[in-house]
Amino acid sequence: MENGKNEEMELSKKELKALERERKKALKEQRRRERESRKQEKRQARDEEVLEGMTEEWVSQEEILEELGFAAEGEPEWEEASEKKILQVEDNIVLETTAQPQPAEGEEAKERMGEAEGEREPEEEKVGWFARLKAGLAKSRTSWINPLSRAMASRRFDADFWEEVEEILIGADVGVEMTQILLERLRDRIASENIKEPERAMEAFAEELAGALRSEERDLRFNPKGTCVFLMVGVNGTGKTTTIAKLAHMLKNEGKKVILAAADTFRAAGIEQLEIWGERVGVHTVKHRQGADAAAVAFDAIQSAKARGMDVVIVDTAGRLHTKVNLMEELKKIKRVAEREAPVTESLLVIDATTGQNGLVQAKLFQEAIDITGVVLTKLDGTARGGIVVAIQHELGIPIKLIGVGEGLEDLHLFDPEEFSRALFAPGV
């Protein structure tokens, strides 16, 4: 009898514990829903602010066809590329509005751009970029330039010193072959110039590094007679889409008329993401539906650009693993179709600097597929191994044309070897 009571009490305790667990779980869920509700209200408030003042300008399908010279009937279906623009995507909430018109030319457009961008003078812009570059290379400076400086401070320049420097450079992803070349050049400089001071030795090394990065094909190439195409390629996660936006922003500020082609029809939300950036930068985006033929998107974008007198079509492509043969073949097709309509003056490979030596593997295989004309090295601010800049240019013979050191639209810039070297070796952050 007593055992029966004990069992009932034990069972009652278990039930109470179970009920208490359920109560806590329900309370936790209620609090979670309340937090989500508050977040939703905040997002809606922000969205309403964004939508206020937006101008609406609808471009019909017939107007686009007429502008491109297509007949109203009997021609392939034209996807409305400028009909709706995705303005903002936050936590799966998509707001749609219409495309902003391409800024008008002349003094009025310059005034509007000045209000948006602050109208910085060229010299101010140069100084601002150098400060950002210097700050962006802080990790690389800490990981291999500072140890190199300490090694040179010993003033011994003996076998142990050269072995230590070799380890530092290889650890920074400079590459074994390029490390040996740089060391040989530095030995010759120290011997021929009788260098004994650590500061002078560091200056000599910085000069040799800049020399190793020089290339005659560093500048971006355009078509002086009309529209040209920049083909952007790379694997997912390298920052390719944001790099396209930064590049469009940079070219637009230089007076170029730019249009984007959303040819990444493979990745979910890839088209929408590019449209968002296009809106922020103020450039038009040509799109088809997800899963459409990427080469057809490029074709339509080039036709639109030629009809409107645009200077550059920047074509986004699906981020593909360099080991996927079928996707690489699609990339070749996009380039073939584009070349029939306008010169492809740049095929730029976007590489994430944080991937280190794996970036070399990517570059080699993409180079085999479409003849890469230059590399855009992103996320240099996120790596302690900035030596990959040297390895890519030396081992592949592909010039570094652009580098990125941050998330802002101004954080992409033409690569300047001397400037890069000065920023890397500059004291402090």
Side-chain angles (χ1 to χ4, degrees):
M1 189 77 145
E2 188 173 343
N3 288 338
K5 287 182 179 180
N6 289 337
E7 289 177 0
E8 287 179 5
M9 290 176 64
E10 187 66 29
L11 183 60
S12 178
K13 288 179 180 178
K14 289 181 179 179
E15 290 175 346
L16 287 172
K17 288 181 179 179
L19 288 171
E20 181 64 18
R21 284 197 299 270
E22 288 297 324
R23 187 186 70 79
K24 290 180 178 179
K25 185 177 179 181
L27 183 61
K28 186 177 181 180
E29 178 64 19
Q30 181 182 351
R31 289 174 178 170
R32 186 189 67 79
R33 289 178 179 176
E34 289 175 354
R35 287 196 301 270
E36 288 297 320
S37 178
R38 288 194 296 271
K39 288 181 181 179
Q40 180 76 0
E41 290 174 359
K42 289 181 180 179
R43 283 197 295 267
Q44 288 177 351
R46 287 199 307 267
D47 296 341
E48 289 173 0
E49 290 178 4
V50 171
L51 288 174
E52 289 181 4
M54 288 296 296
T55 60
E56 296 187 357
E57 181 176 320
W58 293 88
V59 181
S60 68
Q61 184 172 2
E62 290 75 14
E63 288 173 335
I64 297 174
L65 288 169
E66 183 179 350
E67 181 177 349
L68 294 177
F70 290 131
E73 296 180 356
E75 291 294 338
E77 180 181 352
W78 172 262
E79 295 285 344
E80 293 180 326
S82 59
E83 206 35 67
K84 284 188 177 181
K85 292 290 184 178
I86 307 297
L87 175 67
Q88 188 175 7
V89 177
E90 285 187 14
D91 297 336
N92 299 323
I93 297 175
V94 180
L95 301 176
E96 293 191 347
T97 184
T98 54
Q100 296 294 332
Q102 189 75 18
E105 296 183 13
E107 292 302 319
E108 187 178 347
K110 290 180 181 178
E111 288 175 8
R112 287 201 299 271
M113 286 181 65
E115 292 173 1
E117 301 299 332
E119 283 193 320
R120 286 185 291 184
E121 294 295 329
E123 191 61 32
E124 292 177 357
E125 167 64 22
K126 188 173 181 181
V127 172
W129 162 250
F130 183 79
R132 293 196 299 277
L133 177 60
K134 181 181 173 182
L137 294 175
K139 289 184 178 179
S140 291
R141 189 180 307 108
T142 300
S143 70
W144 61 291
I145 300 302
N146 290 352
L148 187 63
S149 179
R150 288 193 294 270
M152 289 189 177
S154 66
R155 302 169 182 255
R156 44 194 169 89
F157 302 129
D158 56 11
D160 291 337
F161 164 79
W162 293 111
E163 185 176 340
E164 183 180 356
V165 173
E166 181 180 20
E167 290 176 359
I168 292 170
L169 296 182
I170 291 175
D173 275 340
V174 172
V176 175
E177 185 177 345
M178 195 60 212
T179 293
Q180 296 305 319
I181 292 172
L182 286 173
L183 290 181
E184 189 62 32
R185 290 176 181 173
L186 185 59
R187 280 195 191 97
D188 291 344
R189 287 283 298 274
I190 289 175
S192 63
E193 299 176 22
N194 194 26
I195 295 174
K196 298 185 182 297
E197 296 299 321
E199 294 80 7
R200 183 67 193 100
M202 285 294 286
E203 288 176 8
F205 183 77
E207 291 166 4
E208 293 301 330
L209 182 65
L213 290 170
R214 289 192 189 100
S215 171
E216 295 180 357
E217 300 178 352
R218 214 165 20 90
D219 295 333
L220 295 173
R221 299 176 299 180
F222 300 92
N223 177 17
K225 298 180 180 180
T227 303
C228 67
V229 178
F230 283 13
L231 192 62
M232 308 295 289
V233 302
V235 303
N236 282 329
T238 58
K240 178 164 53 64
T241 304
T242 52
T243 296
I244 289 171
K246 294 174 186 178
L247 177 57
H249 177 72
M250 184 182 80
L251 295 177
K252 184 182 171 188
N253 286 346
E254 292 175 359
K256 303 289 185 185
K257 290 179 285 187
V258 182
I259 192 168
L260 305 182
D264 181 0
T265 60
F266 182 76
R267 179 170 64 93
I271 298 170
E272 289 82 358
Q273 185 184 6
L274 188 67
E275 283 189 307
I276 293 167
W277 279 110
E279 281 291 341
R280 292 175 182 172
V281 175
V283 298
H284 177 64
T285 303
V286 172
K287 67 170 183 176
H288 285 194
R289 66 186 182 281
Q290 185 179 348
D293 184 356
V297 180
F299 174 85
D300 288 345
I302 297 169
Q303 291 297 316
S304 177
K306 289 162 70 176
R308 299 180 181 191
M310 310 298 278
D311 297 307
V312 184
V313 181
I314 304 179
V315 181
D316 187 16
T317 61
R320 60 206 73 224
L321 290 173
H322 44 282
T323 53
K324 297 294 183 182
V325 176
N326 57 331
L327 290 177
M328 294 300 277
E329 288 300 320
E330 183 189 78
L331 193 58
K332 294 178 184 178
K333 178 185 175 184
I334 294 172
K335 187 174 183 182
R336 286 197 305 271
V337 170
E339 284 178 327
R340 289 200 294 264
E341 305 305 316
V344 180
T345 57
E346 294 289 354
S347 295
L348 300 173
L349 173 62
V350 183
I351 294 180
D352 180 350
T354 63
T355 60
Q357 291 294 312
N358 188 46
L360 284 173
V361 178
Q362 296 173 23
K364 288 176 182 176
L365 294 173
F366 274 101
Q367 173 75 338
E368 293 172 3
I370 62 164
D371 188 23
I372 300 298
T373 60
V375 168
V376 182
L377 201 59
T378 65
K379 306 181 185 179
L380 268 173
D381 55 319
T383 182
R385 298 181 174 184
I388 190 64
V389 174
V390 188
I392 288 175
Q393 184 152 315
H394 171 71
E395 294 191 26
L396 303 177
I398 304 175
I400 307 290
K401 294 206 170 185
L402 296 154
I403 56 172
V405 292
E407 297 297 325
L409 287 173
E410 304 289 345
D411 292 330
L412 182 76
H413 213 270
L414 290 172
F415 179 64
D416 183 327
E418 283 75 18
E419 186 178 56
F420 175 82
S421 182
R422 284 192 296 110
L424 184 63
F425 285 81
V429 178

